[in-house]
């Protein structure tokens, strides 16, 4: 084909050369400032030209403006020019006008409505190339209104036109259905008949359209299941056909069409035995005969595997599919290994044993250089952990942790902790594993790790000596990892006497004097690397040692009194209180600082209404008992939710809890607030659906439905009466501790304007202890370009509540 | 569906942008910036698939240009590599030994070719030949209506044959002219 450079805008030489000349001048600019100067001049000239009457250069000027726009400069003043050019009778002007419309106008601009009429006219133009411009533009940027207006036209073109137009109309219809789902019904009849077309472009468009219709409407899906045999035939034709130069890609006949048909078959065969049976043979044939030496073949095989795993296929076929994935896993091409692991991830729950067979290769992929492959291998490895392979797999995971990319560290540590929690073969192994992680990546662990580890240590009573020795050694080596230092300080404070005894069964004992231990703690206290929380741990530990050592109590006394004037308010408070303990309450000191009882892992209802003198509830709340399923990563949401319940805004950390409990009755933290919350509750029945939040035109309604004695489903519905869509809507909820909460995925995060649509989110609650139900909901959304965040407390629920 | 397609130079300059969903100008700039950082940072022979926000990103480097697109979660990544390959082949078919400069100086052509291949984020035509023919015929139409601007497109069919001959000559004439 020709080199289509200057010939684009022929006729007078000057206008076309000016476009390329301008590009050349801009590229020749040596500095940003120079470039800006050139562009400002050009834009001024273009603007002047736009204002003039039609002089045959409009399309060139718009083209220049589009180039400037691509460089990142503002070009909104060209929007009206696009509208004008589209209405021009000249094809070259229309062409650039439509291009400009697709680049500068989108459905959010008012000017886009102005082209609706032109599009309408052009859709019935005598030249198919003009029709095609209109179709392409509508299919790329048509707004919902435009789509509603023009849908009947598109339907007409779907039925009666040549294949060039039909295929474009089909994709235009796809866009319309995406924008206005109700219009799907309009296109269903025409799309069915398109399946008998021979032209690949039309066939492809038809399959895409049918896929879209079936995904949105279960009735349509039911209808199109009858088309499975026809689709199978088409697919067979493609697979068995000889070499067709027009459609051949690396030995595969039209892989694009094959993949789309397989995708449609997947949707049609899902959860349906008849449809799945009808496609079984075909899938087996494709799986066996497709040559996967090049990407095109692998793409088809990949789609086939996805389809086989998703429909109700025979077990033989499933085995075939998993074997293909296994083969892919050994492929040299990283891309193939990547998608193999992605697919295996999808089936690791349902076909666990089959995937386990490939564990070795998957674990090897952890060592791959590529970050994407590493990430996939990590996810899959974590999913493959079981009681049987925990020891060997954990070795690999810990090895991976020491060299893994920074963005994966947090995920790896939390994955390792979860796996250790579920499958630890022994307590010592569990403690060792956590300590290993803290030493390697202590900066990337979640906040709850510290209290969780402490809780674990207390339960492993026979290992106290071993643990404190290990932690002491770690502490004197390195005090930079805060989580490790905190745990070490706590242990030394608690079990320091075991350390000083100088004997230990499980490990080589250290020979330390009391001064050495106090030196270590003081080093932590004084180091600038220690966070305030860590220093709190160290101070409390030092205090506790006063009842566990014999000779150096005076040293402790002096440390404590020095910190009584520390600038850090938290440390100062503690030091003053400990000082008081030494002076006025010395008779209580031994009792207050005695060894802690074994902490129970929190269970639902455990913290409600209980306040045993010695039991330290505040240690537990950081281990969340409620399950909140939210779109973003877990760690942040956990903390946010605790904020929601805390009310007082106090961040939940173990150290403040420890300090307050040293001195008397259990003081209130999140647990306490909640107890207050639950006292004196009056539940007044209200009508089933109640408005819980109304602001800025955003309304949130709540509806309840009692499912079981203890279970309830709540539906939150958000509507929008403003004239602009509300976007980025997120809802978070918190309930009292004993109530279990599960949030389902929301229906969307955009609330259409003018009350045209709504977003719903279902919340499942389980209240086994039948406590009075309260809920706090935090709403977060963007409206009129402002980000709004509000918290709503719901004290009373519509009956049938409790 | 494809959400966007970007062509980035090795220096991080944008050579082509096609958006298949409505995105504000501000958001576009943000996406372009992030894609540029992500894709240009990948070492050679890396995996061509990345995850970003809720999209799958497929990118491929051809000479000095990075082709980068964002996909929905049902889309086949391997097939998308073939889609990018096909687009490059279409550009090559049209320009003959296409290079980055062709796309810079004839960006509107690159868009026109793209529009004959992808619409609304989906593949429109799976045959290279058909796309090639469509481009040729559209070019001819453009030549004719421009050279004879007093003719609007509706008058065309009657005179098309005659002017086809004429425009062949014109095209040859221009073929022999220096590129810049």
């Amino acid at each position: 084909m020709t080199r289509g450079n200057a010939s684009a805008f022929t006729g007078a030489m000057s206008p076309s050369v000016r476009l390329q000349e301008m590009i050349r001048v801009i590229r020749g600019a040596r500095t940003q400032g120079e470039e800006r100067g050139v562009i400002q001049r050009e834009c001024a000239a273009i603007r002047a030209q736009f204002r003039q009457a039609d002089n045959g250069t409009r399309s060139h000027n718009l083209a220049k403006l589009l180039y400037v726009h691509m460089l990142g400069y503002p070009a909104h003043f060209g929007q009206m020019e696009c509208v004008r050019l589209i209405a021009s009778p000249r094809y070259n002007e229309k062409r650039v006008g439509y291009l400009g419309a697709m680049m500068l106008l989108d459905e959010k601009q008012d000017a886009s409505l102005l082209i609706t009429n032109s599009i309408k006219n052009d859709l019935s133009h005598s030249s198919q190339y003009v029709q095609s411009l209109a179709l392409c533009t509508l299919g790329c940027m048509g707004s919902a209104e435009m789509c509603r207006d023009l849908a009947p036209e598109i339907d007409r073109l779907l039925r009666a036109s040549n294949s060039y137009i039909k295929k474009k109309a089909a994709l235009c219809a796809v866009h319309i259905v995406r924008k206005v789902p109700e219009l799907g019904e309009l296109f269903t009849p025409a799309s069915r008949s398109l399946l008998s077309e021979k032209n690949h472009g039309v066939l492809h468009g038809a399959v895409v359209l049918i896929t879209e219709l079936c995904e949105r409407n279960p009735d349509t899906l039911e209808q199109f299941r009858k088309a499975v045999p026809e689709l199978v035939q088409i697919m067979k034709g493609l697979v068995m056909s000889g070499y067709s130069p027009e459609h051949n890609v690396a030995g595969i006949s039209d892989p694009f069409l094959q993949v789309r048909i397989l995708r449609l078959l997947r949707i049609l065969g899902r959860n349906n035995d008849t449809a799945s049976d009808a496609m079984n043979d075909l899938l087996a044939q494709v799986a066996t005969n497709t040559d996967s030496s090049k990407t095109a073949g692998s793409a088809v095989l990949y789609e086939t595997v996805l389809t086989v795993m998703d429909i109700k296929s025979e077990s033989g076929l499933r085995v075939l599919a998993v074997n293909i994935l296994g083969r892919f896993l050994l492929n040299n091409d990283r891309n193939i290994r990547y998608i193999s692991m992605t697919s295996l991830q999808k089936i690791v729950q349902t076909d666990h044993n089959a995937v386990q067979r490939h564990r070795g290769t998957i674990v090897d992929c952890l060592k791959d250089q590529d970050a994407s492959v590493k990430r996939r291998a990590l996810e899959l490895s974590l999913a493959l952990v079981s009681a049987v392979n925990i020891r060997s797999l954990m070795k690999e995971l810990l090895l991976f942790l020491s060299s893994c990319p920074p963005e994966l560290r947090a995920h790896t540590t939390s994955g390792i902790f979860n796996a250790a929690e579920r499958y630890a073969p022994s307590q010592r192994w569990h403690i060792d594993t956590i300590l290993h992680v803290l030493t390697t990546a202590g900066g990337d662990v979640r906040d709850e790790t510290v209290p969780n580890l402490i809780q674990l240590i207390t339960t492993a009573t026979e290992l106290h000596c071993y643990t404190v020795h290990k932690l002491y050694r770690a502490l004197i080596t390195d005090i930079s990892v805060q989580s490790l230092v905190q745990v070490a300080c706590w242990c030394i404070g608690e079990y320091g006497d075991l350390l000083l005894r100088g004997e230990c069964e499980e490990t080589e004992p250290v020979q330390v004097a009391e001064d050495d231990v106090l030196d270590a703690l003081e080093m932590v206290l004084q180091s600038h690397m220690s966070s305030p929380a860590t220093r709190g741990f160290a101070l409390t530990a030092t205090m506790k040692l006063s009842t566990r050592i014999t000779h150096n109590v005076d040293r402790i006394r002096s440390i404590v009194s020095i910190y009584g004037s520390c600038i850090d308010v938290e440390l100062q408070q503690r030091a003053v209180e400990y000082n008081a303990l030494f002076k006025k309450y010395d008779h209580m000191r031994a009792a207050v600082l005695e060894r802690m009882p074994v902490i129970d892992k929190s269970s639902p209802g455990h913290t409600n209404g209980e306040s045993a003198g010695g039991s330290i509830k505040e240690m537990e709340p950081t281990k969340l008992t409620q399950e909140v399923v939210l779109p973003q990563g877990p760690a942040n949401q956990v903390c946010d939710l605790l904020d929601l319940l805390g009310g007082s805004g106090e961040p939940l950390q173990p150290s403040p809890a420890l300090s307050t409990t040293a001195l008397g009755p259990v003081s209130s933290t999140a647990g306490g607030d909640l107890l207050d919350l639950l006292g004196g509750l009056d539940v007044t029945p209200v009508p089933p659906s109640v408005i819980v939040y109304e602001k800025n035109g955003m309304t949130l309604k709540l509806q309840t439905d009692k499912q079981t004695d203890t279970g309830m489903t709540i539906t939150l519905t958000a509507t929008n009466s403003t004239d602009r869509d509300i976007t980025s809507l997120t809802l978070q909820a918190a309930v009292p501790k004993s109530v279990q909460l599960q949030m389902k995925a929301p229906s969307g995060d955009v609330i259409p304007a003018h009350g045209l649509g709504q977003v719903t989110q279902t919340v499942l609650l389980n209240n086994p202890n039948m406590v009075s139900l309260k809920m706090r909901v935090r709403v977060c959304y963007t409206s009129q370009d402002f980000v709004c965040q509000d918290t709503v407390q719901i004290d009373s629920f519509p009956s049938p509540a409790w | 569906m494809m959400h966007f397609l970007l062509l980035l130079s090795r220096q991080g300059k944008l050579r082509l942008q096609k958006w298949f969903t409505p995105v504000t100008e501000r958001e576009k700039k943000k996406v372009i910036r992030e894609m540029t950082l992500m894709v240009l940072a990948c070492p050679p022979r890396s995996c061509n698939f990345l995850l970003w926000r809720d999209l799958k990103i497929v990118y491929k480097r051809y000479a000095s240009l990075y082709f980068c697109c964002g996909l929905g979660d049902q889309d086949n990544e391997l097939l998308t590599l073939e889609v990018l390959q096909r687009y490059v082949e279409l550009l090559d078919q049209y320009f003959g030994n296409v290079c980055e400069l062709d796309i810079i100086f004839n960006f509107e052509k690159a868009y026109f070719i793209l529009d004959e291949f992808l619409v609304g984020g989906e593949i429109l035509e799976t045959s290279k030949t058909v796309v090639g023919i469509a481009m040729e015929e559209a070019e001819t139409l453009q030549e004719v209506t421009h050279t004879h601007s007093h003719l609007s497109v509706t008058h065309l069919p009657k005179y098309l044959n005659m002017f086809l001959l004429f425009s062949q000559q014109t095209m040859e004439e221009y073929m022999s002219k220096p590129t810049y």
Side-chain angles (χ1 to χ4, degrees):
Chain A
M1 190 46 209
T2 57
R3 215 166 237 290
N5 39 45
S7 58
F9 302 103
T10 54
M13 265 298 280
S14 31
S16 65
V17 170
R18 274 226 301 276
L19 164 64
Q20 302 202 333
E21 184 61 36
M22 182 193 83
I23 297 177
R24 203 171 335 175
V25 171
I26 291 175
R27 282 169 59 79
R30 272 160 303 188
T31 65
Q32 264 284 23
E34 210 179 311
E35 181 183 286
R36 244 174 305 168
V38 171
I39 289 182
Q40 264 171 7
R41 276 197 306 276
E42 286 292 338
C43 283
I46 293 170
R47 252 198 284 252
Q49 293 277 13
F50 283 171
R51 269 181 247 129
Q52 286 179 18
D54 176 13
N55 54 7
T57 60
R58 284 158 62 195
S59 54
H60 310 312
N61 285 314
L62 185 58
K64 287 203 279 189
L65 185 59
L66 293 179
Y67 181 80
V68 162
H69 170 73
M70 191 151 57
L71 292 178
Y73 295 89
H76 41 269
F77 58 89
Q79 288 176 4
M80 284 315 293
E81 193 63 15
C82 293
V83 176
R84 260 177 249 131
L85 281 177
I86 286 174
S88 154
R90 298 192 202 120
Y91 177 69
N92 64 319
E93 292 188 342
K94 268 192 203 290
R95 214 180 185 197
V96 178
Y98 274 115
L99 177 64
M102 284 193 274
M103 283 176 78
L104 300 180
L105 297 175
D106 59 39
E107 58 181 45
K108 294 189 168 72
Q109 315 286 347
D110 298 326
S112 64
L113 283 176
L114 298 173
I115 63 174
T116 315
N117 214 32
S118 295
I119 294 183
K120 196 183 210 142
N121 292 336
D122 285 341
L123 282 176
S124 357
H125 202 279
S126 53
S127 162
Q128 66 177 13
Y129 292 100
V130 174
Q131 285 178 301
S132 131
L133 290 176
L135 283 168
C136 181
T137 307
L138 182 61
C140 279
M141 50 77 73
S143 66
E145 270 183 59
M146 288 161 74
C147 288
R148 276 202 198 91
D149 260 342
L150 300 166
E153 264 305 296
I154 305 300
D155 186 50
R156 188 182 64 80
L157 290 172
L158 267 183
R159 295 166 193 277
S161 56
N162 60 32
S163 50
Y164 182 71
I165 294 300
K166 265 192 194 155
K167 71 187 185 194
K168 299 204 178 201
L171 290 188
C172 203
V174 171
H175 176 84
I176 292 177
V177 170
R178 285 181 182 147
K179 283 275 174 236
V180 189
E182 306 88 65
L183 287 172
E185 287 177 14
L186 173 64
F187 297 118
T188 309
S191 51
R192 180 76 180 82
S193 45
L194 284 176
L195 276 184
S196 31
E197 296 269 339
K198 293 293 166 232
N199 179 293
H200 280 225
V202 179
L203 210 43
H204 187 278
V207 172
V208 176
L209 179 55
I210 294 172
T211 309
E212 196 68 35
L213 293 171
C214 290
E215 274 173 348
R216 287 172 190 276
N217 189 327
D219 293 327
T220 317
L221 177 62
E222 195 55 53
Q223 222 178 317
F224 274 105
R225 281 216 178 95
K226 302 192 197 89
V228 169
E230 202 174 336
L231 289 164
V232 167
Q233 274 307 108
I234 298 172
M235 191 66 193
K236 267 206 175 94
L238 288 170
V239 173
M240 305 296 290
S241 72
Y243 178 79
S244 147
E246 197 180 347
H247 296 291
N248 180 71
V249 180
I252 312 289
S253 183
D254 207 338
F256 306 107
L257 183 56
Q258 288 197 29
V259 165
R260 278 324 291 236
I261 294 180
L262 287 166
R263 197 164 137 182
L264 178 55
L265 287 174
R266 179 154 81 240
I267 301 175
L268 296 175
R270 205 178 272 156
N271 292 326
N272 186 291
D273 288 313
T274 333
S276 301
D277 282 337
M279 52 180 88
N280 228 342
D281 286 344
L282 167 73
L283 293 172
Q285 192 179 7
V286 177
T288 342
N289 290 341
T290 307
D291 171 21
S292 59
S293 51
K294 293 282 167 62
T295 313
S298 302
V300 173
L301 271 184
Y302 175 36
E303 200 73 27
T304 312
V305 167
L306 289 178
T307 302
V308 166
M309 301 317 283
D310 213 5
I311 64 170
K312 296 202 173 262
S313 44
E314 275 175 15
S315 60
L317 194 51
R318 281 185 96 86
V319 169
L320 186 54
V322 178
N323 287 345
I324 291 176
L325 290 180
R327 234 174 51 224
F328 277 178
L329 209 49
L330 299 165
N331 195 303
N332 279 330
D333 187 339
R334 275 201 175 108
N335 296 333
I336 308 273
R337 289 210 296 277
Y338 178 95
I339 57 112
S340 161
M341 286 194 278
T342 315
S343 317
L344 288 170
Q345 187 82 37
K346 292 197 175 107
I347 61 170
V348 73
Q349 301 297 342
T350 48
D351 297 72
H352 192 89
N353 292 331
V355 183
Q356 279 283 7
R357 254 178 258 133
H358 302 284
R359 193 176 76 241
T361 326
I362 294 169
V363 165
D364 279 341
C365 287
L366 281 172
K367 305 190 186 92
D368 194 302
Q369 299 293 339
D370 184 87
S372 289
V373 172
K374 270 196 169 78
R375 185 189 296 267
R376 286 272 144 253
L378 173 65
E379 289 286 354
L380 208 42
S381 303
L382 289 174
L384 287 176
V385 175
S386 72
V388 173
N389 60 36
I390 178 76
R391 283 188 193 265
S392 53
L393 201 42
M394 189 55 81
K395 276 205 196 77
E396 297 287 346
L397 287 170
L398 290 174
L399 197 58
F400 173 70
L401 184 61
S402 52
S403 62
C404 89
E407 63 271 12
L408 287 180
R409 285 166 82 101
H411 190 64
T412 314
T413 57
S414 79
I416 288 177
F417 286 155
N418 286 340
E421 178 108 358
R422 288 169 70 186
Y423 300 111
S426 73
Q427 281 186 316
R428 179 169 158 171
W429 181 95
H430 196 172
I431 291 176
D432 281 343
T433 306
I434 299 184
L435 288 181
H436 190 134
V437 172
L438 288 181
T439 329
T440 328
D444 296 293
V445 301
R446 287 175 28 191
D447 294 338
E448 309 93 74
T449 313
V450 171
N452 284 351
L453 179 55
I454 291 178
Q455 191 266 328
L456 179 63
I457 291 173
T458 57
T459 53
T461 35
E462 330 76 60
L463 293 170
H464 286 168
C465 190
Y466 166 75
T467 315
V468 72
H469 273 87
K470 253 199 121 155
L471 282 166
Y472 177 74
R473 286 203 175 91
L475 187 66
I476 53 179
T477 320
D478 174 24
I479 59 168
S480 59
V481 179
Q482 297 308 295
S483 43
L484 190 57
V485 171
Q486 285 173 8
V487 178
C489 287
W490 188 91
C491 269
I492 293 174
E494 192 69 6
Y495 309 120
D497 47 327
L498 297 176
L499 193 60
L500 293 164
R501 211 179 293 165
E503 57 190 41
C504 181
E505 283 172 3
E506 309 261 352
T507 180
E508 180 78 28
V510 288
Q511 305 299 333
V512 282
E514 294 176 358
D515 267 321
D516 298 321
V517 178
L518 288 173
D519 281 342
L521 289 176
E522 246 193 305
M523 190 169 55
V524 174
L525 260 175
Q526 291 165 355
S527 165
H528 61 275
M529 284 194 282
S530 301
S531 73
T534 310
R535 294 169 83 198
F537 268 93
L539 188 61
T540 306
T542 311
M543 187 59 189
K544 283 196 210 167
L545 282 180
S546 71
T547 55
R548 289 156 175 79
I549 63 175
T550 43
H551 303 303
N552 272 328
V553 184
D554 280 335
R555 181 175 171 184
I556 296 180
R557 249 188 268 263
S558 67
I559 293 176
V560 158
S561 79
I562 287 172
Y563 277 87
S565 42
C566 174
I567 251 183
D568 183 299
V569 174
E570 173 68 35
L571 280 183
Q572 192 189 107
Q573 178 178 349
R574 288 184 193 215
V576 166
E577 287 167 356
Y578 294 158
N579 229 359
L581 202 54
F582 267 125
K583 299 216 159 55
K584 279 165 64 180
Y585 299 98
D586 203 38
H587 53 280
M588 281 172 62
R589 184 163 51 94
V592 168
L593 297 175
E594 73 177 359
R595 188 82 98 230
M596 294 226 189
V598 173
I599 302 167
D600 265 335
K601 269 242 171 90
S602 56
S603 53
H606 172 77
T607 53
N608 246 0
E610 271 188 280
S611 62
S615 96
I616 316 300
K617 293 207 295 292
E618 286 72 30
M619 296 271 291
E620 300 163 88
T622 48
K623 182 135 178 95
L624 260 201
T625 54
Q626 31 218 31
E627 256 180 281
V628 182
V629 179
L630 288 169
Q632 293 108 335
N636 299 336
Q637 293 302 348
V638 163
C639 295
D640 282 353
L641 218 47
L642 292 173
D643 279 347
L644 216 58
L645 276 179
S648 58
E650 193 181 311
L652 217 49
Q653 282 179 16
S655 29
L658 285 174
S659 76
T660 49
T661 54
L663 287 179
V666 171
S667 54
S668 74
T669 59
D673 279 351
L674 216 43
L675 290 172
D676 284 342
L677 215 58
L678 295 175
L681 175 62
D682 244 353
V683 177
T684 50
V686 299
S689 172
V690 60
I691 294 177
V692 296
Y693 172 83
E694 201 161 16
K695 193 174 162 193
N696 298 337
M698 210 277 255
T699 311
L700 191 66
K701 284 204 202 65
L702 182 140
Q703 211 170 338
T704 56
D705 185 22
K706 196 151 193 279
Q707 308 285 21
T708 68
D709 280 349
T710 57
M712 182 160 91
T713 306
I714 289 182
T715 311
L716 294 165
T717 310
T719 50
N720 171 13
S721 62
T722 66
D723 60 345
R724 281 176 64 180
D725 290 356
I726 285 177
T727 56
S728 314
L729 175 73
T730 50
L731 297 170
Q732 294 167 266
V735 288
K737 279 217 175 44
S738 64
V739 181
Q740 288 145 16
L741 172 103
Q742 191 186 359
M743 284 185 98
K744 299 288 184 190
S747 63
D749 70 343
V750 175
I751 319 177
H754 303 298
L756 283 176
Q758 60 193 28
V759 167
T760 53
Q761 188 161 11
T762 310
V763 180
L764 303 176
L765 295 179
N766 189 28
N767 188 356
N769 295 349
M770 304 296 278
V771 300
S772 299
L773 188 63
K774 294 210 180 220
M775 189 158 96
R776 258 191 219 173
V777 176
R778 183 191 281 165
V779 293
C780 199
Y781 56 93
T782 306
S783 168
Q784 320 275 13
D785 293 324
F786 292 108
V787 177
C788 307
Q789 182 171 304
D790 283 306
T791 310
V792 180
Q793 176 135 340
I794 302 162
D795 298 334
S796 49
F797 284 81
S799 60
W802 301 288
Chain B
M1 63 174 271
M2 199 183 280
H3 286 238
F4 58 81
L5 172 66
L6 305 173
L7 262 62
L8 303 161
S9 78
R10 292 236 288 146
Q11 286 76 38
K13 287 209 130 100
L14 186 66
R15 296 299 177 209
L16 186 143
Q17 54 176 323
K18 188 77 184 179
W19 303 87
F20 297 109
T21 59
V23 182
T24 59
E25 281 298 327
R26 207 165 175 200
E27 185 65 24
K28 278 183 197 169
K29 285 198 163 71
K30 198 156 160 229
V31 175
I32 293 168
R33 212 175 21 239
E34 291 194 31
M35 284 300 115
T36 313
L37 287 172
M38 261 175 78
V39 166
L40 262 51
C42 285
R45 281 189 302 279
S46 307
C47 182
N48 294 98
F49 310 138
L50 305 164
L51 287 173
W52 179 77
R53 295 194 189 171
D54 59 337
L55 296 177
K56 303 197 263 203
I57 306 294
V58 177
Y59 78 93
K60 188 117 201 258
R61 184 173 152 205
Y62 288 93
S64 58
L65 277 178
Y66 284 86
F67 288 64
C68 167
C69 57
L71 305 177
D73 75 324
Q74 290 296 312
D75 292 321
N76 185 321
E77 296 100 312
L78 289 175
L79 193 72
T80 310
L81 282 177
E82 287 299 317
V83 169
L84 295 178
Q85 174 71 20
R86 173 57 63 89
Y87 182 46
V88 172
E89 286 174 6
L90 290 171
L91 290 170
D92 197 60
Q93 180 182 264
Y94 181 80
F95 287 108
N97 281 331
V98 67
C99 64
E100 190 182 339
L101 283 173
D102 289 318
I103 299 180
I104 295 171
F105 282 91
N106 302 282
F107 67 94
E108 77 281 5
K109 292 306 166 61
Y111 278 101
F112 295 150
I113 294 171
L114 187 61
D115 288 339
E116 290 293 332
F117 177 45
L118 299 173
V119 166
E122 304 283 356
I123 299 169
L124 171 67
E125 178 54 64
T126 60
S127 155
K128 252 162 66 170
T129 337
V130 173
V131 175
I133 293 175
M135 277 305 288
E136 275 185 45
E137 298 195 352
E139 292 294 290
T140 312
L141 193 56
Q142 183 153 325
E143 301 273 326
V144 176
T145 52
H146 190 92
T147 1
H148 304 272
S149 49
H150 60 280
L151 283 177
S152 77
V153 181
T154 41
H155 290 119
L156 226 35
K158 257 188 1 187
Y159 303 103
L160 192 52
N161 284 334
M162 233 171 83
F163 289 128
L164 263 174
L165 272 168
F166 175 82
S167 36
Q168 286 288 7
Q169 223 174 358
T170 337
M171 271 190 257
E172 269 166 32
E173 232 184 285
Y174 280 105
M175 262 176 77
S176 60
K177 279 207 165 19
T179 325
Y180 306 115

